[in-house]
Amino acid sequence: MPPKSRDILALAITSLFFFFPISLAMASTLMAVITVLWLATGRFRERWIFVRDNPLTWAAMALYGLVILGSLYSPANWQDISPHLTKYIKLPFAILLMSAITTERLQQRCMNAFVLAMSFVLASTWLNVWWDLPWSKTQNQGWNVSHHVFGDYITQNIMMAFLVLIALYRMLSTPMSWRKGAWAAMAALASVSITHLSEGRTGYVLLCVVFAVFAATTLRGSKLWIAATLGTGLVVGVLASSGLVRERFILAYEEVQGIDQEKYTSIGNRVYLYKITPLLIAEKPILGHGTGAYHSEICRFVDIPEGCHGWIHWHPHNQFLYFAADHGLLGLAVYLFMLASMVWLARKAENDEARVLLIGLAALLAADSMTNSPLWSARESHFFVYMMALLAARATLRRQSAHESSTPVQDPSKPTQHQS
């Protein structure tokens, strides 16, 4: 590969990790640019060797293969099928991305680009409390009101929770210096931006998931128990100090109380979908109804006066049920295999940061999949798929390098023992 082409590809990949938290359009454009550059620069055999033993490679290929296969027997029209082919194309793109991020230097640059972008989002969120920022989605200054900068607050909180995990790990692993304090401050400010400057209940839950992952993967013995005690205290402190958190949980309680009467609430529509989607799955449990079939087929089970509205047939607010409805238990099993592969890779990783972050990412994806459809959502899938590719490559790199260094290389100019 010519050095110039290699440098341009590396720059495009680094830019992707900076722009996807900020701009949906820019991330999609860079995805296309990277694909063209990847094809133009060749080295396909070398790249395939890097990813072929990675279980995530096979999970991503199998999941997108089911999407293609399902389009052949789906009763849905092309208008419902085509979004699945375009949205889930990020799964094979993740393999391409893994095969291109094969140096530790590029991997670190990509991670730093993401941290830099999220630092800008974090700073903007806090500044929006006092000033009207022209690029901020919310223009409501003050405390105890929700603030988010780009896209929607759910996606921002998901990525902000992951930033907390990065900051906590780097705080722990950095030698005592001003940098340790800086990472601690970032973790604190990012956490408070979720609990006190956002109304997203998903963010509250995922922040707890992040703290649990950090404690479980980095602490042992008495330190783990101390962290659990401090964590309990922090939860109580947040409930006492954050009006937004209290309001959202009071609202959740009220929505649960009226769940049988009101289907249009955040919790009400989710519970209703969790009741009727399994009925659809039960009709064709093995291979499902086919790609995009959920959008029309779920309407046969809707029995509310309002009829089959967009919040019902767009997606079931649960990625597990979504795959099972369209691709059956086989699709669900492949998705579970993908999540398990992330954990398996993390446990095998020699890079400790990759280990902690990959387990954290898998936990966030699994938890988010219980109440949302993160691989269907354009912004959420940008984050989960690209970060999965980056961390899988980081987890693989040193292990593969060690394997290659232990394998003797035959000098082609010398005959083998058999030839002599």
Side-chain angles (χ1 to χ4, degrees):
M1 183 196 304
K4 188 175 181 180
S5 301
R6 183 168 60 243
D7 293 342
I8 294 173
L9 178 59
L11 177 61
I13 293 172
T14 305
S15 300
L16 176 69
F17 281 87
F18 176 79
F19 280 108
F20 81 72
I22 296 174
S23 171
L24 183 64
M26 193 65 179
S28 298
T29 301
L30 283 167
M31 179 179 165
V33 170
I34 290 167
T35 302
V36 172
L37 289 171
W38 185 89
L39 290 170
T41 50
R43 297 175 62 196
F44 302 126
R45 183 177 181 277
E46 179 183 335
R47 286 167 170 168
W48 172 245
I49 290 172
F50 185 77
V51 299
R52 68 183 178 186
D53 296 327
N54 190 327
L56 273 176
T57 297
W58 301 101
M61 288 173 61
L63 204 49
Y64 194 68
L66 287 176
V67 173
I68 295 174
L69 177 65
S71 66
L72 301 178
Y73 60 85
S74 174
N77 57 37
W78 179 248
Q79 186 178 358
D80 285 339
I81 292 174
S82 58
H84 291 254
L85 296 173
T86 55
K87 283 176 178 284
Y88 294 131
I89 195 69
K90 292 174 191 173
L91 291 167
F93 177 75
I95 304 170
L96 179 154
L97 200 55
M98 279 190 286
S99 73
I101 313 176
T102 56
T103 67
E104 191 165 0
R105 181 184 178 189
L106 179 55
Q107 292 168 5
Q108 195 60 51
R109 282 170 54 186
C110 291
M111 184 62 70
N112 290 340
F114 171 76
V115 171
L116 181 61
M118 288 307 299
S119 298
F120 175 71
V121 173
L122 177 60
S124 299
T125 303
W126 276 92
L127 290 173
N128 194 227
V129 175
W130 297 283
W131 291 288
D132 236 349
L133 302 178
W135 56 85
S136 177
K137 294 283 287 188
T138 52
Q139 303 293 329
N140 48 336
Q141 282 64 60
W143 292 93
N144 284 323
V145 292
S146 185
H147 300 275
H148 63 275
V149 184
F150 302 106
D152 58 87
Y153 64 85
I154 294 177
T155 309
Q156 177 171 313
N157 286 344
I158 292 169
M159 293 189 289
M160 198 62 71
F162 192 69
L163 180 66
V164 171
L165 183 59
I166 295 173
L168 286 173
Y169 177 82
R170 293 188 175 181
M171 176 197 70
L172 190 69
S173 59
T174 300
M176 188 61 69
S177 67
W178 66 269
R179 290 184 179 85
K180 184 180 284 288
W183 287 118
M186 178 177 284
L189 290 171
S191 298
V192 175
S193 78
I194 295 172
T195 58
H196 290 66
L197 302 180
S198 175
E199 63 181 358
R201 285 180 297 227
T202 298
Y204 308 152
V205 172
L206 296 187
L207 186 60
C208 292
V209 169
V210 158
F211 283 127
V213 168
F214 175 72
T217 56
T218 61
L219 305 178
R220 296 290 181 272
S222 60
K223 290 182 179 180
L224 188 59
W225 288 106
I226 292 171
T229 304
L230 290 174
T232 303
L234 282 173
V235 170
V236 174
V238 166
L239 288 172
S241 62
S242 175
L244 280 173
V245 172
R246 291 197 303 274
E247 288 173 9
R248 293 297 289 170
F249 278 102
I250 290 171
L251 179 61
Y253 175 76
E254 293 173 349
E255 289 178 359
V256 169
Q257 292 294 102
I259 212 163
D260 293 327
Q261 291 77 36
E262 182 55 73
K263 302 295 190 301
Y264 272 89
T265 63
S266 176
I267 292 179
N269 66 51
R270 281 174 168 81
V271 172
Y272 183 66
L273 290 172
Y274 300 165
K275 288 180 179 179
I276 64 174
T277 305
L279 301 176
L280 176 63
I281 296 169
E283 288 187 342
K284 295 185 177 180
I286 307 301
L287 290 178
H289 290 264
T291 301
Y294 171 87
H295 303 300
S296 55
E297 294 300 303
I298 193 63
C299 292
R300 295 190 285 108
F301 299 90
V302 175
D303 59 357
I304 57 177
E306 297 87 345
C308 193
H309 288 280
W311 63 264
I312 292 176
H313 62 69
W314 183 233
H315 64 84
H317 286 285
N318 186 300
Q319 191 70 65
F320 300 109
L321 292 178
Y322 206 7
F323 278 134
D326 278 1
H327 308 292
L329 296 179
L330 180 59
L332 175 60
V334 172
Y335 186 46
L336 291 172
F337 173 64
M338 189 176 83
L339 291 168
S341 296
M342 294 169 69
V343 178
W344 182 86
L345 268 177
R347 292 175 63 87
K348 296 289 185 181
E350 294 183 18
N351 184 308
D352 198 47
E353 183 179 63
R355 177 183 65 85
V356 173
L357 296 185
L358 194 51
I359 290 175
L361 188 73
L364 289 175
L365 180 56
D368 192 29
S369 294
M370 297 294 292
T371 57
N372 295 301
S373 300
L375 295 189
W376 174 255
S377 165
R379 290 185 181 275
E380 290 179 48
S381 63
H382 273 326
F383 165 67
F384 281 114
V385 174
Y386 301 157
M387 197 57 67
M388 178 182 73
L390 172 59
L391 294 175
R394 292 190 73 188
T396 304
L397 182 61
R398 291 186 184 179
R399 188 159 46 85
Q400 186 172 34
S401 297
H403 172 74
E404 289 173 353
S405 64
S406 65
T407 304
V409 179
Q410 175 66 39
D411 186 342
S413 65
K414 297 179 180 179
T416 62
Q417 184 177 8
H418 175 74
Q419 290 171 328
S420 61

